[in-house]
Amino acid sequence: MTKTCYYEVLGLDKGAPMDVVKKKGKKAMALAHPDRHGNTDEATKKFQQLNEAYSVLKDEKKKAAYDRGGFAALEELEN
C-alpha cells in the first residue's frame, strides 16, 4: 500500500513550521471528523489518515525524522 505524503494529507507545504502544522492540522481534523459526516467508512478512513499524519507532524522529533528521510526514517526511529 502506497502512503501519501503527510504534508499533502494535511494540505500543507512540505517543511511547514510547527505552528502552521498544529493550527491547520487541528482544523483539518475537526472538519473531517466522522461525526460530521455520518460515520461512514469513507469519513472514518479519511479521519484516520489525517490523524496519522497529524500525530507525526505535531511531534518535533518525528517531524524532523520525516522531513529528513520520509517514511523510512520514521520506521528507523520506531526501531
Side-chain angles (χ1 to χ4, degrees):
M1 182 168 115
T2 304
K3 290 194 173 199
T4 305
C5 171
Y6 288 149
Y7 287 104
E8 289 177 17
V9 170
L10 293 174
L12 301 169
D13 293 329
K14 290 187 179 185
M18 188 62 70
D19 61 327
V20 173
V21 168
K22 288 183 178 183
K23 181 179 178 183
K24 290 196 174 186
K26 286 179 184 179
K27 183 175 182 178
M29 297 221 3
L31 291 173
H33 197 281
D35 288 347
R36 297 182 77 164
H37 301 282
N39 285 321
T40 65
D41 286 341
E42 184 179 326
T44 300
K45 287 178 186 177
K46 177 66 175 173
F47 185 75
Q48 288 172 339
Q49 187 180 32
L50 284 166
N51 187 45
E52 179 182 340
Y54 183 63
S55 68
V56 169
L57 296 180
K58 73 176 183 178
D59 181 294
E60 289 185 30
K61 188 174 181 180
K62 290 179 182 178
K63 181 180 183 299
Y66 181 74
D67 288 347
R68 220 177 20 258
F71 295 108
L74 285 176
E75 288 178 17
E76 288 179 19
L77 186 65
E78 291 176 3
N79 293 330

